[in-house]
């Protein structure tokens, strides 16, 4: 669907990068205050997991329009995660270096999702 060399969703670089981001978020969230376990920690983990999960689910759909819809959901989860990371920075829960690492990774995934959505849109026109 997404290209000749892409046979399964695991071949998608954006999915691979998203999986790396999930791992990073789980590690980062371990340093947050324990009282945030049901607040920021839980929300950050859910939004991070949602990114590769929606990329994979959309890939498995029988429709390019459905795939694009799931990529839009993944993008929304990414924006949510970026906001939560910035909240953690503003509250002093993480340092600027940790923020920059997550932010840079998120921006890369954002560009990749945008590119993939554009390619898919061109395919259905």
């Amino acid at each position: 669907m997404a290209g000749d060399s892409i046979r399964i969703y695991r071949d998608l670089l954006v999915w691979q990068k998203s999986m790396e981001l999930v791992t990073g978020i789980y590690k980062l969230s371990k340093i947050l205050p324990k009282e945030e376990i049901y607040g920021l920690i839980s929300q950050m983990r859910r939004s991070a997991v949602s990114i590769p999960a929606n990329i994979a689910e959309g890939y498995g759909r029988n429709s390019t329009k459905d795939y694009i819809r799931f990529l839009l959901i993944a993008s929304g989860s990414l924006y949510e995660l970026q906001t939560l990371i910035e909240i953690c920075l503003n509250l002093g829960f993480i340092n600027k270096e940790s923020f920059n690492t997550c932010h840079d990774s998120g921006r890369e995934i954002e560009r990749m999702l945008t590119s993939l959505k554009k390619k898919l849109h061109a395919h259905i026109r």
Side-chain angles (χ1 to χ4, degrees), residues 12-116:
L12 291 166
L13 187 57
V14 67
W15 181 85
Q16 295 167 12
K17 296 278 186 180
S18 297
M19 290 294 288
E20 291 171 10
L21 180 61
V22 170
T23 303
I25 291 300
Y26 266 76
K27 289 177 181 176
L28 179 69
S29 66
K30 286 182 181 181
I31 68 167
L32 298 181
K34 296 297 177 218
E35 63 266 18
E36 288 298 330
I37 191 73
Y38 300 109
L40 284 171
I41 294 170
S42 176
Q43 197 65 28
M44 285 172 63
R45 289 177 175 181
R46 278 198 309 271
S47 59
V49 167
S50 176
I51 300 164
N54 277 290
I55 293 168
E57 186 171 354
Y59 186 89
R61 295 293 170 143
N62 292 327
S63 152
T64 302
K65 286 183 181 183
D66 275 350
Y67 190 13
I68 292 169
R69 185 170 58 87
F70 278 91
L71 293 176
L72 289 169
I73 294 167
S75 294
S77 294
L78 176 61
Y79 298 143
E80 178 183 8
L81 178 60
Q82 289 170 329
T83 300
L84 294 167
I85 293 166
E86 191 157 345
I87 290 169
C88 288
L89 176 68
N90 292 346
L91 293 173
F93 294 159
I94 62 173
N95 62 31
K96 189 71 172 170
E97 182 181 344
S98 295
F99 171 80
N100 287 338
T101 298
C102 292
H103 180 71
D104 292 348
S105 177
R107 291 288 294 144
E108 179 182 24
I109 293 165
E110 183 181 343
R111 287 188 294 273
M112 295 172 89
L113 284 170
T114 299
S115 175
L116 182 54

